[in-house]
Amino acid sequence: GMNNETIYTIDVLTLDEPLYIVGCGVRVKHGTPECFPSINALIDNFNKNCMASKIPNKSQPYRRFGICVDHVIYDDIIEFTYITGVQVNTPLSESQRPATTILHEIPAGTYARIQVTAPNEDIAMSTSYMKLAQWIEESTEWEQAPGNECEVYPKEDTDAIMELWRPIQNKKTPEKQ
């Protein structure tokens, strides 16, 4: 039957090399009624048009990423671009990838990573954001670093299994007075 349990683990992930994502993006304003429908439509179109199958040189195993980039804040509204895409082995040039796609680089560095398995995608999403923020907040060693967080979906058939990566850095030790 359906498993109603939500399980998660949190660890520190070090990327020695950047990762490359090829996908499609949509510009949205956080907190507006059209924000999530726009993102969901983007993902639906990406899946319906089998975009992943048209992107060459995909890394194995398959991973779909959701990344929020290019944040602009004005009038208390955060505007950003949401990218959905798949990981590829090399940074594909424009001529090597489908016309409507963009290339995004996830920089090498240190990330706090939560891996969640939940009964559904909404619980997976809320658990990821809540528990990872709490872990970073309570950490004596790490703090959030500049950069973009990434949602990672390792299964093609469900978003109830996901990861969230957030850039972190060592907390600065206060100087002795």
Side-chain angles (χ1 to χ4, degrees):
M2 283 299 293
N3 188 351
N4 291 321
E5 198 185 1
T6 300
I7 48 177
Y8 69 90
T9 57
I10 299 177
D11 64 359
V12 173
L13 170 72
T14 303
L15 294 184
D16 296 321
E17 304 275 331
L19 302 182
Y20 300 103
I21 311 300
V22 170
C24 302
V26 63
R27 193 86 184 145
V28 291
K29 293 182 174 72
H30 191 11
T32 57
E34 62 273 13
C35 179
F36 286 111
S38 299
I39 289 172
N40 289 333
L42 174 79
I43 295 168
D44 286 346
N45 284 334
F46 187 84
N47 293 336
K48 258 207 296 286
N49 296 333
C50 301
M51 288 305 296
S53 66
K54 300 171 186 170
I55 296 168
N57 206 9
K58 276 186 296 297
S59 58
Q60 295 298 329
Y62 166 94
R63 288 201 285 196
R64 197 182 85 246
F65 280 72
I67 311 165
C68 303
V69 301
D70 301 332
H71 297 72
V72 178
I73 303 174
Y74 55 91
D75 299 339
D76 293 336
I77 298 265
I78 302 176
E79 188 181 83
F80 61 91
T81 298
Y82 183 92
I83 299 172
T84 187
V86 291
Q87 185 179 342
V88 294
N89 292 319
T90 53
L92 301 176
S93 66
E94 278 189 54
S95 62
Q96 294 172 311
R97 51 185 164 85
T100 54
T101 59
I102 47 186
L103 174 72
H104 177 73
E105 180 178 316
I106 297 173
T110 308
Y111 295 82
R113 171 178 64 178
I114 185 168
Q115 298 173 284
V116 178
T117 300
N120 63 54
E121 57 190 67
D122 292 339
I123 296 174
M125 180 80 72
S126 57
T127 302
S128 297
Y129 279 88
M130 201 166 60
K131 297 296 185 186
L132 193 62
Q134 185 183 347
W135 184 88
I136 294 171
E137 186 67 33
E138 292 172 0
S139 172
T140 54
E141 189 180 352
W142 302 102
E143 62 187 7
Q144 194 151 325
N148 302 310
E149 60 193 10
C150 307
E151 298 162 3
V152 188
Y153 301 96
K155 301 264 184 259
E156 288 192 66
D157 55 351
T158 178
D159 286 357
I161 298 171
M162 69 171 288
E163 301 178 10
L164 180 66
W165 302 356
R166 192 168 269 177
I168 51 173
Q169 60 195 10
N170 280 109
K171 281 190 170 170
K172 312 279 184 289
T173 319
E175 298 297 318
K176 298 270 192 296
Q177 294 303 321

